[in-house]
Amino acid sequence: MNTSEYELEYFKSKGFTRKKCSKCGRYYWTLGSWETCGEPPCEEYTFIGNSPMNKSLTLHEMRETYLRFFEKHGHTRINRYPIVARWRDDVFFTQASIYDFQPWVIEGVVDPPANPLVISQTCVRFNDIDNVGKTGRHFTFFEMLAHHAFNKRNKEIYFKDRTVELCQEFFTSCLGVSPEKMRYIEEWWEGGGNSGPCLEVILDGVELATLVFMMYKDEPDGRKPLSMTVVDTGYGLERITWVSQGTSSAYEAVFGPVLQYLKEIAGISTDSRILEEYCKVAGMTNARTAADIKKIREMTAERIGISYGELIQCIRPLEDIYVICDHTRALAFMLNDGVVPSNVREGYFARLLVRRALRAMRDLGINIPLSEIVNKQIDFFSAVFTEMKENKEDILGLVDYEEEKYKETLARGRQLVSRITKSLGPGERISTEMLIELYDSHGLNPEIVQEFASLQVDIPDDFYIRVAARHEKPEVMREEDISTELPENLPETKLLYYEDPELLEFEATVIAKIDKGVILDRTAFYPEGGGQEWDTGTLNGMKVIRVLRKGNSVIHFLEGDFFQIGTKVKGIVDRKRRMQLMRHHTAAHLINGITRKLLGNHVWQAGAHKSEDFGRLDITHHQNLTREQISELEKEVNRIVLENLPVRIKMMSRAEAEKLYGFRLYQGGVVPGAIIRVVEVEGLDAEACGGLHCKNTGQVGLVRISKTKRIQDGVVRIEYSVGMSAVENVIRDKEIVWMLSEKLRTTPEQLISISDKILEDLKETKRAYENLRIAYNNNILSRLLENAAIIDNMKIVAYRVREFEDPVEISKALATRESVLSVIVSAEKNPRILVSCGENVGIDCRLILKEITAMAGGAGGGKKDFAQAGGLQEEMVDEVLRNVPEIVKRLMSGCA
């Protein structure tokens, strides 16, 4: 590292000294006379029970204190961004405040929402999930307090010196920390393709903030200066709150009323002495594995003079409670921000949290719904994040549904694990890969597998870190796009369809030829994109069969000979197809907006396709829609159609659009550029969208929901038709009703009642038939037993059934009779033969079957009391049946 990056004028003017840590060798700046950098393992925590701050603040109080401090120092407070990073396609979740501004602000595409700004950004990370609850400081959900400044070459806001000055003033003037206690360690930061020097802020043994000075872009050919330098700070709200209170762990400081509630219902008390020493030891250890945790526990037990067992007895229940607090807090925010628990994408992590929390509750014997705890988290946070109160019902419904699914998983789990363990060979064990597969595919926690398995199961220290790592990178979901195979740097086409979506005839010039298509200087043909199919029509009478876009070029694929470059052409767009495509696309926006109102805030578009004949919209939802929900959806969409609301299309700056509509803009995924095209149906839906739409909802016409289905975990597909396609489908439905009415000789109005009567009559007929069948079978059985041969008080029945008789049913019925042996042959060609024995029959049915197949062919097998074979020779059936008594006598004689 270049030492000049850290030699700040602020440090020099205020009398800070640059020192080298006597233990780790890192350099740091301080006003005090310290020998070490102050960060564990060089020093342990000294703030526990002895806070260096003059204010003991709650989580909410500390957040507000920080935000107000920076507001007073010229920063604009902005609201948090969602936990789900909808504006990016490279990550699922917001993991730091700088994620809010990557890539668009950092790359200079758009201006920041304010400059400078201050924020408390909600974040989730899963790279330390196995250590949550065990170290006193690890969380999956946390808030990053941050102030940012974005410095362009012609306009610098502030950079290193002012950043450190503000940090020092916040801790000393605002929170009362002695200036000599503050230490700033020199470090280097890299992330998201950017890098720069940074300072780690240390107080009484704990890192409370990181001050990053983003200056470079890391590219394959080396590090290059950014055109914009960025102040990227990250202050840990939970840690600063913890230090202000000086509690035994961060968990005791920040979980508030939820923690106290869980302690009460679990009947757990806290030994603060043990927890304080445990947390100090944990702070000295960079815990990554179960071995690290075990070492911390052993050192703590020795340090306070108790046995390892006594320590575990004290801390393990609390660790479970901390896990429940952390995971329910994360769930409340993730579900509030639109995550649906599932087996894929961001939903995978929500389900992971649900099941780990339920497992911890099971270990503690807490028998309340998980949603009750999540509800308390919402109550705790909704005073600050008011949208959580509005979404409470939706959040709790999702949690309840997931808990029911988990119970179903446990019900199936024991049998599944039993089958797996039985299939293992001698010495084999359930491997880590098998454990991961059981969790990924069947939702079985490894602890559950361990409980259900009949052999030892070794659970990896970092099991949940491993499964989370498998799912942390989004797979970019794209429909097949052959335009990616087209060459780059094609000539540009003017897009007339955006200027006037109703323009259907135009004149243009051929400016390029490629493959089987031509590029025009201007076109009204809409190319395939955004789930909408392409326009068709003609160029000088020649059919246009497909239209694709590559960058700013539109390629028209033709049926027939090509035009030469320079040819003037007249284009005519197929009006009927264009109008249907526009209607189906506009209807997708209406359905998306209505389903969100009907089903909950968690509904997001997960995919779409709009063709001439039908449309489909995939939404995030945990279960298929009911018949009542489909009817309500259809009714509400058509109500919006009849209201004839305007569909407004406008080009907006990204920052302005996000400020006005939020990140629900990105229903179809990330949209690049500083200027985005926004399609708005007022009061219902606003999306960044490049498709063609009707001018008002009335142009959509009739909307008919044909069906819905659950196409994958957490995704429901809605299939629909509009306009004349919908009308034709309605007519078809009506014709089906008329035809059924005619066949049943009734009216459409009476069809349901007549159908109910027919179904009831059918049930009566089935009951009557069943009674007749039973009577008939009893008669058959009586006749067979009366005519049976008798050998040593054993009745021998040999019978070939008629076509309307069931050989299996007759054979099983005879097997219930004492001292009865039966040989029943089926009626078909190449018949089956069934041999059954009742009680007190001392012959193995398999031996009789073997004799018969030796005589008449066929093959089969079975058990001692029932055996069967197929493929008997037809011509040998009568002889077999005649010889059954002789076969029995011979076998009985052999037994004797």
Side-chain angles (χ1 to χ4, degrees):
M1 292 186 293
N2 185 350
T3 58
S4 64
E5 298 278 18
Y6 308 94
E7 293 175 350
L8 309 186
E9 185 60 38
Y10 175 79
F11 284 151
K12 295 176 183 177
S13 65
K14 296 297 181 180
F16 280 77
T17 304
R18 184 174 187 255
K19 294 187 174 185
K20 184 177 182 179
C21 179
S22 61
K23 292 185 177 179
C24 69
R26 292 190 298 172
Y27 287 93
Y28 63 97
W29 294 81
T30 183
L31 291 170
S33 56
W34 307 102
E35 295 299 321
T36 71
C37 64
E39 187 175 31
C42 301
E43 288 183 24
E44 71 174 36
Y45 300 153
T46 57
F47 65 87
I48 293 177
N50 182 32
S51 174
M53 300 178 184
N54 63 5
K55 298 176 183 178
S56 176
L57 301 178
T58 66
L59 192 76
H60 295 335
E61 289 169 344
M62 185 61 77
R63 182 192 303 107
E64 188 60 24
T65 297
Y66 180 90
L67 295 172
R68 283 186 179 177
F69 172 84
F70 281 94
E71 280 183 312
K72 288 178 182 177
H73 289 80
H75 295 69
T76 300
R77 183 190 304 207
I78 66 168
N79 292 332
R80 74 181 184 98
Y81 281 49
I83 271 183
V84 186
R86 305 283 183 185
W87 59 96
R88 298 178 61 163
D89 59 10
D90 58 332
V91 293
F92 288 132
F93 299 114
T94 307
Q95 298 184 29
S97 60
I98 196 62
Y99 277 43
D100 303 347
F101 314 110
Q102 292 173 318
W104 311 114
V105 173
I106 302 301
E107 293 180 359
V109 175
V110 299
D111 290 330
N115 197 11
L117 61 84
V118 62
I119 188 173
S120 182
Q121 178 57 50
T122 51
C123 305
V124 287
R125 295 179 187 171
F126 294 89
N127 56 327
D128 283 316
I129 189 169
D130 286 294
N131 289 327
V132 170
K134 297 175 181 175
T135 61
R137 67 184 188 276
H138 283 106
F139 298 89
T140 54
F141 170 92
F142 60 96
E143 287 183 64
M144 182 176 284
L145 301 170
H147 61 99
H148 295 278
F150 306 90
N151 301 295
K152 296 184 179 180
R153 286 174 182 167
N154 59 345
K155 187 179 181 182
E156 180 166 310
I157 307 301
Y158 65 80
F159 205 41
K160 296 178 184 178
D161 287 279
R162 180 60 175 160
T163 301
V164 177
E165 181 183 14
L166 287 167
C167 178
Q168 184 79 356
E169 187 175 343
F170 171 68
F171 283 111
T172 57
S173 300
C174 188
L175 297 179
V177 175
S178 170
E180 290 77 18
K181 278 183 171 284
M182 303 296 296
R183 280 172 270 189
Y184 297 86
I185 301 175
E186 297 176 3
E187 271 296 348
W188 188 261
W189 174 88
E190 294 178 357
N194 302 122
S195 61
C198 76
L199 293 167
E200 293 179 357
V201 182
I202 309 300
L203 175 62
D204 276 13
V206 63
E207 180 184 347
L208 296 184
T210 304
L211 313 179
V212 174
F213 308 107
M214 194 183 296
M215 301 171 64
Y216 304 101
K217 186 175 180 64
D218 296 328
E219 296 184 347
D221 57 345
R223 183 172 290 156
K224 298 179 180 178
L226 283 169
S227 58
M228 173 194 298
T229 60
V230 180
V231 172
D232 170 24
T233 65
Y235 291 66
L237 172 60
E238 287 80 7
R239 288 194 182 183
I240 300 173
T241 303
W242 176 25
V243 172
S244 84
Q245 295 180 24
T247 54
S248 56
S249 73
Y251 309 133
E252 293 288 330
V254 304
F255 288 145
V258 181
L259 177 61
Q260 297 310 313
Y261 167 73
L262 288 173
K263 283 182 180 180
E264 287 172 12
I265 63 173
I268 293 173
S269 59
T270 303
D271 187 327
S272 57
R273 182 179 67 95
I274 292 177
L275 291 181
E276 286 175 9
E277 295 304 319
Y278 181 86
C279 200
K280 288 177 183 178
V281 174
M284 296 288 287
T285 308
N286 184 21
R288 300 295 300 172
T289 68
D292 295 333
I293 298 297
K294 188 173 186 296
K295 182 180 177 183
I296 291 169
R297 291 168 174 172
E298 289 172 343
M299 290 173 64
T300 304
E302 182 179 353
R303 185 164 169 167
I304 59 181
I306 62 173
S307 71
Y308 184 82
E310 288 175 303
L311 178 72
I312 295 299
Q313 191 174 5
C314 172
I315 64 172
R316 184 159 283 165
L318 279 169
E319 288 175 353
D320 282 333
I321 283 183
Y322 296 150
V323 165
I324 296 166
C325 286
D326 172 86
H327 289 10
T328 52
R329 186 170 75 149
L331 277 169
F333 279 91
M334 289 169 69
L335 302 188
N336 178 77
D337 289 359
V339 176
V340 175
S342 71
N343 279 341
V344 295
R345 296 178 60 81
E346 57 266 24
Y348 181 90
F349 295 90
R351 178 165 290 169
L352 176 66
L353 293 174
V354 168
R355 297 192 170 183
R356 287 194 90 230
L358 287 170
R359 176 64 192 180
M361 289 171 65
R362 193 165 178 257
D363 287 345
L364 288 168
I366 296 177
N367 297 313
I368 61 172
L370 180 63
S371 59
E372 188 172 318
I373 306 171
V374 175
N375 186 37
K376 290 193 175 294
Q377 296 283 13
I378 295 171
D379 289 343
F380 181 60
F381 281 99
S382 58
V384 178
F385 304 103
T386 55
E387 71 277 11
M388 297 183 78
K389 189 179 296 183
E390 299 168 12
N391 297 327
K392 178 190 280 194
E393 186 178 344
D394 186 30
I395 296 167
L396 301 183
L398 288 169
V399 175
D400 284 337
Y401 182 82
E402 271 302 296
E403 183 164 2
E404 284 304 310
K405 286 202 71 169
Y406 184 58
K407 289 176 181 175
E408 293 170 8
T409 296
L410 291 183
R412 298 190 305 268
R414 191 180 298 275
Q415 189 175 3
L416 176 62
V417 173
S418 176
R419 284 204 308 268
I420 290 172
T421 52
K422 286 178 181 177
S423 69
L424 297 174
E428 285 189 284
R429 308 173 82 170
I430 294 179
S431 65
T432 298
E433 281 304 308
M434 291 171 73
L435 281 176
I436 292 174
E437 185 60 28
L438 281 167
Y439 183 81
D440 264 1
S441 300
H442 303 283
L444 290 174
N445 306 65
E447 297 86 358
I448 291 291
V449 177
Q450 188 177 53
E451 181 181 322
F452 290 168
S454 57
L455 46 78
Q456 184 179 343
V457 177
D458 295 325
I459 302 173
D461 306 338
D462 56 350
F463 177 82
Y464 290 103
I465 292 174
R466 291 193 197 188
V467 296
R470 279 190 169 196
H471 297 263
E472 66 184 357
K473 287 293 182 183
E475 292 182 16
V476 179
M477 299 166 63
R478 295 190 180 96
E479 296 183 9
E480 182 183 0
D481 183 6
I482 66 171
S483 70
T484 57
E485 301 171 6
L486 298 171
E488 303 290 340
N489 302 317
L490 296 172
E492 188 171 331
T493 304
K494 186 178 182 181
L495 309 178
L496 301 176
Y497 50 80
Y498 279 151
E499 297 178 4
D500 182 2
E502 296 183 357
L503 178 67
L504 300 173
E505 295 188 15
F506 67 99
E507 293 182 349
T509 303
V510 177
I511 57 175
K513 294 166 56 176
I514 178 169
D515 197 10
K516 296 180 181 179
V518 295
I519 299 174
L520 308 179
D521 63 338
R522 57 208 304 267
T523 188
F525 282 91
Y526 182 82
E528 180 179 12
Q532 180 174 322
E533 290 188 359
W534 58 94
D535 286 332
T536 59
T538 60
L539 290 178
N540 285 357
M542 191 179 300
K543 284 186 178 180
V544 177
I545 58 174
R546 192 169 188 182
V547 187
L548 295 175
R549 182 173 175 176
K550 178 77 171 183
N552 293 320
S553 305
V554 178
I555 303 96
H556 307 70
F557 293 92
L558 305 170
E559 184 179 86
D561 297 331
F562 304 116
F563 298 114
Q564 297 301 313
I565 293 176
T567 301
K568 304 291 184 182
V569 295
K570 180 177 182 178
I572 300 176
V573 177
D574 184 322
R575 183 181 186 281
K576 177 176 176 290
R577 179 176 170 85
R578 161 68 69 80
M579 289 305 298
Q580 279 297 98
L581 290 172
M582 289 169 62
R583 289 178 178 127
H584 277 119
H585 203 144
T586 309
H589 289 242
L590 305 186
I591 293 169
N592 197 23
I594 294 296
T595 52
R596 186 159 55 252
K597 286 191 173 184
L598 293 179
L599 303 177
N601 186 61
H602 62 271
V603 171
W604 279 77
Q605 178 179 313
H609 183 79
K610 304 97 179 178
S611 70
E612 182 177 356
D613 298 323
F614 71 94
R616 68 170 185 257
L617 179 71
D618 299 339
I619 61 168
T620 53
H621 190 54
H622 50 285
Q623 57 187 335
N624 194 13
L625 275 60
T626 64
R627 190 174 67 189
E628 292 76 17
Q629 287 172 326
I630 293 171
S631 296
E632 184 68 13
L633 170 60
E634 194 171 61
K635 183 177 77 174
E636 285 300 302
V637 171
N638 281 292
R639 183 181 63 78
I640 294 296
V641 168
L642 291 173
E643 287 185 5
N644 201 29
L645 299 176
V647 179
R648 297 190 179 94
I649 300 173
K650 48 193 172 184
M651 304 303 292
M652 302 179 69
S653 74
R654 177 184 292 276
E656 180 189 1
E658 289 178 356
K659 184 177 181 179
L660 189 59
Y661 301 112
F663 295 99
R664 285 209 175 271
L665 282 168
Y666 306 123
Q667 294 289 323
V670 176
V671 178
I675 304 297
I676 60 177
R677 184 173 183 264
V678 177
V679 178
E680 179 190 15
V681 182
E682 189 173 346
L684 181 68
D685 187 69
E687 300 179 25
C689 181
L692 299 186
H693 300 81
C694 302
K695 288 185 175 179
N696 52 63
T697 60
Q699 286 186 346
V700 173
L702 176 68
V703 179
R704 175 181 176 272
I705 309 297
S706 54
K707 65 177 178 179
T708 68
K709 59 183 177 182
R710 190 167 171 266
I711 61 169
Q712 71 178 57
D713 200 17
V715 178
V716 171
R717 173 163 292 169
I718 301 170
E719 297 184 10
Y720 63 96
S721 56
V722 302
M724 286 309 299
S725 290
V727 171
E728 288 165 4
N729 286 328
V730 169
I731 291 171
R732 185 200 65 195
D733 293 345
K734 190 162 63 174
E735 286 177 346
I736 291 171
V737 171
W738 284 343
M739 289 170 63
L740 283 172
S741 301
E742 289 173 3
K743 287 181 180 292
L744 298 176
R745 297 180 182 179
T746 187
T747 63
E749 292 76 17
Q750 296 296 316
L751 193 56
I752 298 298
S753 60
I754 291 295
S755 298
D756 288 342
K757 186 176 185 309
I758 290 171
L759 289 171
E760 188 57 41
D761 290 347
L762 184 58
K763 287 179 183 177
E764 284 295 324
T765 302
K766 285 182 176 179
R767 282 194 287 267
Y769 168 78
E770 183 65 16
N771 291 335
L772 284 171
R773 189 184 63 80
I774 292 169
Y776 178 81
N777 284 344
N778 287 338
N779 186 45
I780 287 287
L781 292 177
S782 297
R783 181 165 57 84
L784 292 176
L785 291 171
E786 286 174 8
N787 298 324
I790 300 175
I791 303 174
D792 288 348
N793 294 322
M794 180 172 58
K795 291 185 176 182
I796 311 298
V797 175
Y799 177 63
R800 183 170 192 179
V801 302
R802 287 171 283 188
E803 289 185 359
F804 53 84
E805 296 170 344
D806 186 338
V808 176
E809 191 171 340
I810 291 172
S811 179
K812 287 184 176 179
L814 288 167
T816 64
R817 304 299 178 95
E818 188 175 352
S819 302
V820 174
L821 184 149
S822 68
V823 176
I824 306 299
V825 180
S826 63
E828 73 266 23
K829 291 182 180 179
N830 298 318
R832 288 182 299 151
I833 187 162
L834 299 93
V835 183
S836 67
C837 296
E839 288 187 26
N840 299 325
V841 175
I843 299 178
D844 191 326
C845 290
R846 292 170 292 190
L847 297 177
I848 298 173
L849 189 69
K850 185 176 180 182
E851 293 278 341
I852 291 171
T853 54
M855 180 191 309
K863 299 179 181 178
K864 184 177 180 179
D865 57 353
F866 180 81
Q868 61 180 323
L872 267 66
Q873 298 170 21
E874 174 69 27
E875 63 273 14
M876 295 298 293
V877 170
D878 291 340
E879 185 175 348
V880 165
L881 294 175
R882 283 194 303 270
N883 278 278
V884 167
E886 290 299 321
I887 293 172
V888 172
K889 284 180 182 179
R890 187 164 61 251
L891 290 172
M892 289 182 69
S893 174
C895 292

